[in-house]
């Protein structure tokens, strides 16, 4: 039997938002809450909390708890109050839950003809998060950078996922919101790539390309169909 196409998805900013970088989302929401803070101070709060979570690691925590720690941590650095932080975290999570229901429906269709995996720079709890959103029966492999000890943009994390799936780069399509972390390293391995464009953390070079670019789950499914349908 012919090996099926392997679809590898980045998680944060690709699946749990509509291509929007989480740092950019926090920056946009926190700026009016902390009008006296500079953009640089708000961005640094995000970076500091991210580094802390990666350093300490997470295990049984759900994405709801991960998000709560991210928001509360930034509020503590910027001098905000706990109640507002908790409410904002719940608002963010409500949007993520809605988004992930759509992702699950998409994956349910994709696994009929393809292998589907998830690769992400995460905190050690990505398998728990995959279970939280009802994807465990659809996704294999699940590669968490904190578990395997390889972080994007190192292309070896994508190679590792391909090997776990017993597939080949030439039959792999990588989907991600970051050209630096997802598209470029995957392309270097010989994978085809789909760049999921949304709210950027930093401006990107307009000359950068991918096999396809999308801005919605509908466009993503169409792109995958177009790249995998018999010619």
């Amino acid at each position: 039997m012919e090996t099926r196409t392997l679809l590898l998805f980045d998680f944060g900013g690709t699946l749990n938002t509509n291509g929007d970088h989480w740092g950019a989302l926090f920056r946009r929401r926190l700026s009016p809450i902390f009008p006296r803070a500079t953009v640089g101070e708000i961005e640094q709060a995000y970076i500091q909390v991210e580094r802390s979570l990666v350093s300490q690691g997470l295990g049984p925590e759900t994405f709801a708890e991960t998000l709560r720690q991210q928001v509360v941590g930034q509020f503590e650095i910027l001098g905000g109050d706990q109640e507002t932080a908790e409410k904002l975290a719940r608002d963010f999570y409500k949007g993520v839950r809605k988004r992930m229901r759509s992702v699950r429906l998409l994956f349910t269709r994709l696994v009929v003809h393809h292998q589907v995996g998830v690769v992400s720079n995460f905190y050690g709890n990505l398998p728990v998060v995959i279970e939280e959103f009802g994807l465990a029966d659809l996704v294999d492999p699940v590669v968490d950078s904190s578990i395997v000890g390889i972080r994007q943009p190192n292309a070896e994390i994508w190679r590792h996922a391909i090997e776990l799936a017993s597939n080949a780069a030439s039959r792999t399509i990588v989907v991600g919101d970051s050209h630096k972390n997802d598209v470029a390293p995957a392309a270097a391995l010989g994978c085809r790539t789909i760049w999921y464009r949304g709210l950027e953390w930093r401006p990107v070079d307009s000359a950068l390309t991918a096999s396809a670019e999308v801005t919605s789950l509908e466009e993503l499914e169409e792109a995958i169909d177009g790249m995998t349908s018999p010619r």
Side-chain angles (χ1 to χ4, degrees):
M1 186 175 68
E2 185 180 13
T3 303
R4 298 192 300 170
T5 300
L6 173 62
L7 307 175
L8 291 178
F9 294 82
D10 170 62
F11 184 77
T14 300
L15 292 180
N16 61 6
T17 76
N18 192 43
D20 299 326
H21 190 288
W22 273 101
L25 286 174
F26 288 137
R27 180 176 60 204
R28 184 172 67 182
R29 291 293 296 274
L30 267 58
S31 290
I33 296 174
F34 299 99
R36 295 185 179 181
T38 66
V39 171
E41 288 171 337
I42 291 172
E43 291 179 347
Q44 191 57 43
Y46 164 73
I47 293 170
Q48 185 175 331
V49 172
E50 275 292 291
R51 289 175 176 171
S52 176
L53 289 177
V54 170
S55 177
Q56 73 183 41
L58 299 175
E61 289 85 356
T62 62
F63 191 73
E65 174 58 20
T66 303
L67 194 51
R68 191 194 72 82
Q69 290 190 30
Q70 287 174 320
V71 176
V72 170
Q74 291 174 75
F75 268 66
E76 289 177 349
I77 293 169
L78 295 168
D81 66 274
Q82 177 94 6
E83 183 178 351
T84 303
E86 297 278 0
K87 182 181 184 303
L88 181 58
R90 290 193 297 271
D91 288 346
F92 271 126
Y93 187 68
K94 182 178 179 180
V96 171
R97 290 288 302 181
K98 180 178 179 180
R99 166 73 175 185
M100 294 308 298
R101 285 194 290 270
S102 296
V103 168
R104 191 182 194 288
L105 290 174
L106 171 62
F107 279 14
T108 300
R109 294 191 294 272
L110 292 178
V111 297
V112 174
H113 301 292
H114 312 295
Q115 289 181 282
V116 176
V118 173
V119 178
S120 196
N121 281 346
F122 224 68
Y123 317 102
N125 62 330
L126 185 57
V128 172
V129 172
I130 292 297
E131 180 74 36
E132 176 184 3
F133 292 121
L135 302 179
D137 59 332
L138 303 172
V139 174
D140 184 31
V142 175
V143 178
D144 182 319
S145 62
S146 291
I147 295 175
V148 302
I150 313 169
R151 286 186 63 81
Q152 300 159 297
N154 189 336
E156 290 305 309
I157 195 169
W158 298 105
R159 190 193 307 276
H160 178 66
I162 293 167
E163 291 174 351
L164 286 177
S166 300
N167 216 309
S170 60
R171 293 194 59 82
T172 300
I173 297 173
V174 167
V175 182
D177 67 299
S178 170
H179 197 281
K180 174 186 174 183
N181 284 351
D182 309 319
V183 175
L189 293 178
C191 304
R192 287 173 291 172
T193 57
I194 299 177
W195 190 2
Y196 202 125
R197 305 296 300 272
L199 192 62
E200 305 278 4
W201 172 239
R202 293 285 184 265
V204 296
D205 187 342
S206 60
L208 296 176
T209 61
S211 305
E213 293 186 19
V214 301
T215 59
S216 68
L217 290 179
E218 292 75 20
E219 290 180 6
L220 174 59
E221 189 168 13
E222 290 177 4
I224 291 171
D225 286 345
M227 294 167 72
T228 58
S229 298
R231 296 181 182 276

